[in-house]
Amino acid sequence: MIASVGKYHKFSIVLVLLSAFVYYYFGYPLVRTDLVILISLYGIAFASFFGLIKLEKHNFLFLAGIAIVFRLIFLGSIPNLSQDFYRFIWDGRLLLQGWNPYLYLPNDLMASGSVPIQESQALFDGMGSLNASHYTNYTPINQLCFVLAAIVSPKSITGAVIVLRLILILADIGTLYFGRKLLKNLGLPVNNIWLFILNPLVIIELVGNLHFEGLMIFFLVWSLYLLQKGLWKWAAVILALSVSVKLLPFIFLPILFQWFTKRKITEIHKTSFSILRKNLGKLIVFYAIVFAIVIGLFLPFISEKFISNYQETIGLYFQNFEFNASLYYIARWIGYQIVGWNTIATIGKITPIVVFVSVLIISFFRDNTDFKKTVTALLFGLSIYFFTTTTMHPWYFTTLLVLSVFTNYRFTVVWSFMFVLSYTAYQKEGYGEILELVALEYIAVYGFLLYEIISLQRKKLQIQAS
């Protein structure tokens, strides 16, 4: 037994060194069009990820330590798989000079020669023509982080990157802390948290490529922990902060209905009126706190032009952009067969309605009366949105991955690996998705999800029969 433990320990060190090399390569020498190297290294990172969890899953300090070290490897690197951070720095420096970043297009400012920030040309060139031609859609807490980077490093892109990266590393540490506590409270294995914290997709996309889903997820997990503890007013405050990083958690609000009322909509008549009124009152106050804080954080920026620009940007996301989509690509193909052109403008208007109706059905008619069932409902509500969206970047998915940690579903882990195929769109000959690989990605995801649903249903029937 002692020899076995020693052997595992030595092999764990090998896996740590392999992972560290992969993250170093992703952070520094890698060129995203070197697809063979990228996919190979990603595969090594995932094999090491599974090996480390298997061998050291009960060694909390060891895994927590290496999770932080893996992230610190990226500290001084400039993201090479995403250009978004240039716009982050641009917005932050613009805001620091007293300019509302929601009101100005980078293209217009550069053309007028009136950009009031340092390194404007480098930032403009870095963000790319697509980003520079659209108004910013980054929310107030995002903008606060960007301003902090501008204050600390107003003249150095690398310095600003380090500040932003430290924020995201701290956010992941917070997710580890509250995620572990929530797992304990739910009676689930605390080792589940490593499926998120050590996942290569999370490390590369959130810390490596500076996507602020990491901060949103920290606030979301903290809010869920507080809600499960019964501290629902504080949970509303923290959820509002999550929404103020990314708007995505708005989708969860209806799903919390049963957690507050403890009844499905079809069972409301079985609850006494006084109890129902009290519980609905709590839910309304919860919603009011969330909306009040979000609106309050937007208030310093609000103007008629801001509203117009923000609506335009959100509309473009649903009706113009398309990447690594699932059911949308099938609908688009059907559209081509019927009318002969890309029907994204029409589909982009329909899919939000489909998602909204689906979320309402999950919210009111599925049994979400205990907290585990509520989190599972959050998982499937968000899954429907991601399965129908026109644009599915890898970092969007990380919210779904963290929710799955608190459920019995693991199709998200499969998806986190299959996402590497989406990078094949960035080829040396130019941008172009390989739809066969997109199909392979989603066949694996849907196939494993179907397998899990069938398996969990069988277990449920066996338990009922016994």
Side-chain angles (χ1 to χ4, degrees):
M1 176 64 115
I2 294 174
S4 177
V5 172
K7 179 182 177 182
Y8 281 158
H9 178 70
K10 290 177 182 178
F11 190 56
S12 297
I13 298 301
V14 172
L15 295 177
V16 169
L17 293 175
L18 274 174
S19 299
F21 170 75
V22 169
Y23 294 133
Y24 163 78
Y25 204 93
F26 264 91
Y28 298 89
L30 181 67
V31 177
R32 73 178 179 181
T33 54
D34 291 337
L35 297 178
V36 174
I37 295 176
L38 189 155
I39 294 173
S40 299
L41 289 177
Y42 197 77
I44 292 171
F46 253 86
S48 300
F49 156 63
F50 284 123
L52 285 168
I53 292 178
K54 182 177 179 61
L55 299 176
E56 304 287 349
K57 62 184 178 181
H58 299 299
N59 193 341
F60 174 79
L61 290 179
F62 177 75
L63 291 183
I66 64 172
I68 294 171
V69 169
F70 289 162
R71 286 160 169 80
L72 288 174
I73 289 171
F74 288 94
L75 191 59
S77 70
I78 299 297
N80 51 28
L81 296 177
S82 174
Q83 300 168 294
D84 292 350
F85 71 97
Y86 288 107
R87 185 61 179 267
F88 302 167
I89 299 171
W90 174 284
D91 280 6
R93 291 183 181 178
L94 207 63
L95 189 55
L96 187 62
Q97 296 301 317
W99 292 50
N100 187 338
Y102 296 103
L103 304 184
Y104 304 98
L105 290 173
N107 276 348
D108 293 345
L109 289 178
M110 292 299 291
S112 67
S114 60
V115 188
I117 62 177
Q118 297 287 334
E119 300 180 300
S120 58
Q121 189 63 54
L123 294 172
F124 178 78
D125 293 340
M127 73 178 70
S129 58
L130 181 63
N131 200 321
S133 62
H134 294 104
Y135 293 101
T136 189
N137 65 338
Y138 301 112
T139 40
I141 297 295
N142 258 338
Q143 297 291 346
L144 179 63
C145 296
F146 305 161
V147 168
L148 180 60
I151 292 170
V152 176
S153 183
K155 299 180 180 180
S156 169
I157 291 174
T158 301
V161 163
I162 291 173
V163 174
L164 295 174
R165 189 163 279 132
L166 286 172
I167 293 171
L168 292 173
I169 291 173
L170 291 173
D172 279 357
I173 293 172
T175 299
L176 171 60
Y177 177 76
F178 286 111
R180 191 165 179 258
K181 289 173 76 70
L182 180 57
L183 285 167
K184 283 183 179 179
N185 290 350
L186 294 176
L188 294 170
V190 293
N191 305 321
N192 287 1
I193 197 63
W194 303 122
L195 296 173
F196 178 81
I197 294 296
L198 283 175
N199 193 296
L201 180 74
V202 172
I203 296 171
I204 292 168
E205 286 296 352
L206 301 190
V207 174
N209 292 328
L210 293 179
H211 292 296
F212 271 75
E213 273 73 8
L215 185 59
M216 176 196 72
I217 286 168
F218 161 60
F219 288 128
L220 175 62
V221 172
W222 186 5
S223 176
L224 290 176
Y225 167 74
L226 292 171
L227 192 61
Q228 192 274 334
K229 292 277 287 182
L231 303 172
W232 57 273
K233 290 180 181 177
W234 282 112
V237 172
I238 303 303
L239 184 61
L241 296 181
S242 183
V243 172
S244 298
V245 179
K246 301 282 180 180
L247 297 178
L248 185 66
F250 265 137
I251 199 173
F252 301 141
L253 292 180
I255 299 175
L256 298 177
F257 171 82
Q258 288 185 48
W259 171 246
F260 279 89
T261 65
K262 305 301 181 186
R263 290 289 185 275
K264 292 190 287 186
I265 199 76
T266 53
E267 298 175 345
I268 289 296
H269 66 281
K270 299 178 183 179
T271 308
S272 69
F273 180 74
S274 60
I275 295 175
L276 180 61
R277 184 177 61 182
K278 181 180 178 181
N279 290 340
L280 284 176
K282 289 181 180 179
L283 180 63
I284 292 169
V285 172
F286 182 90
Y287 288 163
I289 292 171
V290 173
F291 280 103
I293 292 175
V294 172
I295 293 170
L297 290 170
F298 268 108
L299 275 178
F301 305 101
I302 286 181
S303 67
E304 186 176 339
K305 187 177 181 184
F306 160 80
I307 295 171
S308 173
N309 293 347
Y310 209 76
Q311 286 178 335
E312 177 186 330
T313 303
I314 298 299
L316 285 170
Y317 172 80
F318 286 105
Q319 299 177 35
N320 287 71
F321 301 150
E322 48 187 21
F323 177 79
N324 193 42
S326 170
L327 299 179
Y328 160 70
Y329 279 169
I330 297 174
R332 184 183 68 176
W333 179 83
I334 294 172
Y336 271 117
Q337 308 311 306
I338 296 174
V339 299
W341 63 77
N342 190 340
T343 54
I344 183 173
T346 302
I347 298 171
K349 293 176 181 177
I350 295 173
T351 50
I353 299 173
V354 172
V355 172
F356 180 70
V357 172
S358 300
V359 167
L360 289 183
I361 292 172
I362 290 173
S363 301
F364 298 130
F365 297 101
R366 183 186 182 274
D367 182 7
N368 308 321
T369 50
D370 71 46
F371 204 77
K372 288 182 184 178
K373 292 175 181 178
T374 298
V375 178
T376 302
L378 299 179
L379 177 77
F380 279 99
L382 189 58
S383 295
I384 291 169
Y385 171 57
F386 284 158
F387 288 152
T388 57
T389 186
T390 62
T391 306
M392 190 62 205
H393 288 296
W395 54 93
Y396 296 173
F397 158 82
T398 52
T399 310
L400 197 69
L401 179 62
V402 80
L403 288 174
S404 71
V405 164
F406 308 104
T407 73
N408 295 318
Y409 289 92
R410 297 292 175 262
F411 72 94
T412 54
V413 179
V414 174
W415 200 356
S416 67
F417 174 71
M418 297 304 295
F419 259 114
V420 70
L421 297 178
S422 69
Y423 291 112
T424 59
Y426 304 103
Q427 303 168 45
K428 292 181 180 178
E429 300 79 14
Y431 173 84
E433 286 191 275
I434 303 172
L435 294 182
E436 291 81 1
L437 293 180
V438 176
L440 177 61
E441 172 189 342
Y442 285 103
I443 287 171
V445 172
Y446 287 134
F448 197 82
L449 174 58
L450 182 62
Y451 162 77
E452 286 198 297
I453 290 173
I454 293 172
S455 297
L456 290 171
Q457 186 62 31
R458 283 178 178 170
K459 289 180 182 178
K460 183 178 178 180
L461 292 174
Q462 287 172 357
I463 291 172
Q464 290 175 347
S466 62

